[in-house]
Amino acid sequence: MTTSSSSPLGLHRVIDPPGVLPQAAWQLDPTPAIAADEVRIRVDRLNLDAASYRHLRETYAADPDKIRAAVREIITTRGKMQNPATGSGGMLTGTVEEVGPTSPLGLKPGQRIATLVSLTLTPLAITDGLSRWDTHSEQVPCEGHAILFARSIAAVLPDDLPVPLALAVMDVCGAPALTQRVVKRGSTAVIIGAAGKSGSLSAVAARQAGAAKVIGVVPTEAEAELLRNPAATQSSLVDEIVIADARDPVGLAKKVEEAGGPADVTVVCVDVPGCEGGAILSTTQGGTVIFFSMATSFSAAALGAEGVAADVTMLVGNGYVPGHADLALNLVRTTPALRALFERRVRHEGGQP
Amino acid sequence: MTTSSSSPLGLHRVIDPPGVLPQAAWQLDPTPAIAADEVRIRVDRLNLDAASYRHLRETYAADPDKIRAAVREIITTRGKMQNPATGSGGMLTGTVEEVGPTSPLGLKPGQRIATLVSLTLTPLAITDGLSRWDTHSEQVPCEGHAILFARSIAAVLPDDLPVPLALAVMDVCGAPALTQRVVKRGSTAVIIGAAGKSGSLSAVAARQAGAAKVIGVVPTEAEAELLRNPAATQSSLVDEIVIADARDPVGLAKKVEEAGGPADVTVVCVDVPGCEGGAILSTTQGGTVIFFSMATSFSAAALGAEGVAADVTMLVGNGYVPGHADLALNLVRTTPALRALFERRVRHEGGQP
């Protein structure tokens, strides 16, 4: 299939509907033969998006056979792993198998890589029926292949960090990169879901950007403890901890204010619907809210801000910021408490950190 | 009911579920008796959100009786006009009837006002069954009352502009205000849906902010003609016109580039789903996309940018920017071509400009 009619955006892989970008497509063509500017990856692991994984577990009542069957069905039908209910995908790791002569990605056969573009636009075929996946974790060991386009993003896995750890970090690396870009020296940052993966990275990024105060919001005392003291180190990842239900705007805003808020920058990192109002009410007039959760409702955010006469800048969390993977990996390398929290999260999810 | 237990955000009017903000509530209490910081409005006209109106027309095949019944049912059941399918509302005009002694809005009985907060969070009751509405327009003449909270936003209707015209301008006044804030001198702005109401206002706002080039995207030659020459004045509202389907990312980006793009700032003002990818692809690396359409999908925007490795800042169009109503009304007053276009739109919708 090595052909010159390929598109850097992958348009030539779109089956249905024709002419749309791969992410918007219902079905992609995962044929293994590559175009001149493509790369084929031998896949060894998928890392499902948190919202998608949660939806699958809840829909199939945590039944492993049903969850495996559902994911197999999605991949077979769509030629990619995009959960139709959540619209989200995830990422994958694998080994570079074949590189087209005009690929600009700089990859070489044999390199272990992670894709930093979403599974929602990555042609994918699975050959082992997902039989090795116990479904207790969003990390899915598997066999198959995937295709990268000229304008895809992939990172060579680092030698100095365990693969599941690096994968978990790179999966959410857009959040700390954008947080660091937006937070100004001396400001107050509120991280909603601060003990999670994107949340803890964003908290450390906010501190590194010079925030005078970082307030971490978590739902439970157990999550607060993780943030306070991730695995017996002495440092906390945040300056203040607020235990609150982020879906309760009024309760959240009150507690954030008591902890030193409102925020100049609020970062939403929890994958549950209904957090827009609380984030807006916890942010000062003229401040910024960054929404990283795929559970964010556009209209709830837009109308919510208008409804409380809130002059806040609201950003759609873009998963791509140049240099995001290196930035996030370096935060984990240089912040022992963050690494400890991540290792604990990865262990908890059933991967080997 | 004049009581001191009211909330500036209207929490005391929320029936179901309790404790959420009025916008997020399924049902509000539109009891006419006001709290000490509230204002009651005698309503004379609703202006339905474009996405909501379109949905109603399509769902009920433009049948007036069915559309009226559906809107009546929503208002009666929910105590507010929020279309459950689109999540959106609109705005209203009316006359100030009673002002609580501690209301901070500065209103006086007898003033004609428009609400600048959404109908999705405004307690509303209708008494005339919407019998005067022919359903051929999103502007709904009616009788009833609505409640404003302490932190609502209302604007006194100007003396020098016809009411339906002022109403149509104020309904979308957040778009030009945010556009003017974001566009920098010498930049290139692309307005998707430039011949619409929020689009034409945003185009003029971009020019006033100093954009070197304003490119207007419209779907048809008829819309292009509106933009080129709204009612026989000589000036065009934009510098370049692109006729393209905004849902076709690849086709749109190509035409925008031919017209002098990509954009530093792209403003999405069309109420159709699927415009995220085209807006992103039409914007230069490091540029900004402002989404004003309620049909915007959060995940399509976030994943779409990541999927094409686009380092663009994406803003959720906040309907509230301080001074937005005055800014928009002044653009219409001082730009004859814009006023002509608006008057034509309002006439077309069945209102009297």
Side-chain angles (χ1 to χ4, degrees):
Chain A
M1 175 172 165
T2 302
T3 159
S4 61
S5 69
S6 63
S7 141
L9 298 168
L11 301 172
H12 56 292
R13 293 275 185 175
V14 172
I15 295 177
D16 179 35
V20 303
L21 286 167
Q23 196 264 326
W26 174 253
Q27 191 186 4
L28 300 181
D29 173 8
T31 303
I34 58 171
D37 62 354
E38 290 183 332
V39 172
R40 188 177 61 255
I41 306 296
R42 173 79 11 219
V43 178
D44 53 44
R45 187 182 287 260
L46 308 178
N47 193 11
L48 302 184
D49 169 76
S52 172
Y53 177 65
R54 172 181 311 214
H55 163 263
L56 289 163
R57 273 186 75 86
E58 287 174 359
T59 304
Y60 300 103
D63 180 321
D65 287 337
K66 287 182 181 164
I67 295 174
R68 272 191 295 266
V71 173
R72 270 199 312 268
E73 172 71 15
I74 291 170
I75 296 171
T76 307
T77 308
R78 306 195 65 175
K80 61 178 175 175
M81 180 52 210
Q82 179 176 25
N83 185 328
T86 61
S88 58
M91 62 187 297
L92 62 82
T93 55
T95 304
V96 178
E97 198 167 62
E98 186 182 357
V99 178
T102 65
S103 167
L105 299 184
L107 297 174
K108 291 175 193 147
Q111 283 179 325
R112 288 218 65 207
I113 61 112
T115 58
L116 301 185
V117 287
S118 170
L119 288 178
T120 59
L121 50 97
T122 304
L124 174 69
I126 295 297
T127 54
D128 70 344
L130 307 178
S131 58
R132 286 185 295 131
W133 182 33
D134 63 12
T135 75
H136 297 141
S137 155
E138 65 212 30
Q139 297 203 8
V140 184
C142 65
E143 286 171 23
H145 73 266
I147 306 295
L148 301 182
F149 311 127
R151 205 166 152 175
S152 295
I153 319 165
V156 177
L157 286 164
D159 290 335
D160 62 333
L161 295 172
V163 171
L165 176 63
L167 191 58
V169 172
M170 292 197 284
D171 181 38
V172 294
C173 64
L178 188 52
T179 299
Q180 193 172 61
R181 189 186 272 188
V182 171
V183 168
K184 293 195 168 47
R185 191 157 296 277
S187 63
T188 298
V190 167
I191 315 294
I192 300 179
K197 288 184 285 188
S198 59
S200 58
L201 274 168
S202 298
V204 174
R207 192 174 265 179
Q208 198 166 87
K213 178 174 278 195
V214 179
I215 301 171
V217 177
V218 292
T220 60
E221 174 55 38
E223 294 270 304
E225 192 51 37
L226 264 182
L227 210 50
R228 227 173 257 136
N229 195 359
T233 65
Q234 294 307 309
S235 57
S236 171
L237 289 171
V238 297
D239 300 305
E240 299 285 343
I241 296 175
V242 165
I243 301 175
D245 182 348
R247 296 164 301 182
D248 170 13
V250 184
L252 176 65
K254 187 161 172 283
K255 288 185 181 173
V256 165
E257 185 155 358
E258 287 163 3
D264 298 299
V265 178
T266 298
V267 187
V268 182
C269 294
V270 284
D271 277 314
V272 291
C275 298
E276 301 85 1
I280 291 163
L281 270 192
S282 299
T283 306
T284 194
Q285 294 287 85
T288 300
V289 181
I290 314 177
F291 291 103
F292 273 108
S293 164
M294 283 298 161
T296 302
S297 156
F298 183 88
S299 60
L303 296 173
E306 186 183 332
V308 295
D311 177 23
V312 293
T313 298
M314 296 185 285
L315 297 177
V316 177
N318 181 347
Y320 176 65
V321 175
H324 57 346
D326 288 343
L327 184 145
L329 290 168
N330 278 335
L331 290 177
V332 170
R333 285 188 185 104
T334 57
T335 316
L338 179 62
R339 178 163 179 167
L341 186 147
F342 254 80
E343 284 175 342
R344 192 159 157 175
R345 288 263 171 220
V346 171
R347 235 184 345 258
H348 179 72
E349 286 160 1
Q352 300 302 314
Chain B
M1 177 170 164
T2 302
T3 159
S4 61
S5 69
S6 64
S7 141
L9 297 169
L11 301 172
H12 57 292
R13 292 275 185 175
V14 173
I15 295 177
D16 181 35
V20 304
L21 286 167
Q23 197 265 325
W26 175 252
Q27 192 187 3
L28 300 181
D29 174 8
T31 303
I34 58 170
D37 62 352
E38 291 183 333
V39 173
R40 187 177 61 255
I41 306 297
R42 172 81 10 219
V43 178
D44 54 43
R45 188 183 286 260
L46 308 178
N47 193 11
L48 301 185
D49 169 77
S52 172
Y53 177 66
R54 173 180 310 214
H55 162 263
L56 289 163
R57 273 186 74 86
E58 287 175 358
T59 304
Y60 299 103
D63 180 320
D65 287 336
K66 287 183 181 164
I67 294 174
R68 272 191 295 267
V71 173
R72 271 199 310 269
E73 172 70 14
I74 290 170
I75 296 172
T76 307
T77 308
R78 307 195 65 175
K80 60 177 176 175
M81 180 53 209
Q82 179 175 25
N83 186 328
T86 62
S88 58
M91 62 187 298
L92 62 82
T93 55
T95 306
V96 177
E97 199 167 60
E98 186 182 356
V99 179
T102 64
S103 166
L105 299 184
L107 297 175
K108 290 174 193 150
Q111 284 179 325
R112 288 216 65 208
I113 61 114
T115 58
L116 300 184
V117 289
S118 170
L119 288 178
T120 59
L121 50 98
T122 303
L124 175 69
I126 295 298
T127 55
D128 71 344
L130 306 178
S131 56
R132 287 186 294 132
W133 182 34
D134 63 10
T135 75
H136 297 143
S137 156
E138 66 214 26
Q139 297 202 9
V140 184
C142 65
E143 287 170 23
H145 73 266
I147 305 295
L148 301 183
F149 311 127
R151 204 165 153 175
S152 295
I153 318 166
V156 176
L157 286 165
D159 290 334
D160 62 332
L161 295 172
V163 170
L165 176 63
L167 191 59
V169 172
M170 293 198 282
D171 182 38
V172 294
C173 64
L178 187 53
T179 298
Q180 195 172 59
R181 191 186 269 186
V182 171
V183 168
K184 293 195 167 48
R185 191 157 294 280
S187 63
T188 298
V190 168
I191 315 293
I192 300 179
K197 288 184 285 188
S198 60
S200 58
L201 274 168
S202 298
V204 175
R207 192 174 265 180
Q208 197 165 87
K213 177 172 277 193
V214 179
I215 302 171
V217 177
V218 292
T220 61
E221 175 55 37
E223 294 270 303
E225 192 51 37
L226 264 183
L227 209 51
R228 225 172 259 136
N229 195 358
T233 65
Q234 294 308 308
S235 59
S236 170
L237 289 170
V238 298
D239 301 304
E240 299 285 342
I241 296 175
V242 166
I243 300 175
D245 183 347
R247 297 163 300 183
D248 170 14
V250 182
L252 176 65
K254 186 162 174 283
K255 288 185 181 172
V256 165
E257 184 156 359
E258 287 163 3
D264 298 299
V265 178
T266 298
V267 187
V268 182
C269 294
V270 283
D271 276 315
V272 291
C275 298
E276 301 85 0
I280 291 164
L281 270 193
S282 299
T283 306
T284 192
Q285 293 287 85
T288 301
V289 181
I290 314 177
F291 291 104
F292 274 107
S293 164
M294 284 297 162
T296 302
S297 157
F298 183 89
S299 61
L303 296 174
E306 187 184 332
V308 295
D311 178 22
V312 293
T313 299
M314 296 185 284
L315 297 177
V316 177
N318 181 350
Y320 177 66
V321 175
H324 56 347
D326 288 344
L327 184 145
L329 290 168
N330 278 335
L331 290 176
V332 170
R333 285 188 184 104
T334 57
T335 316
L338 179 62
R339 179 165 179 165
L341 186 147
F342 254 81
E343 285 174 340
R344 193 159 157 173
R345 288 264 171 220
V346 171
R347 232 178 356 251
H348 178 72
E349 285 160 2
Q352 300 303 314

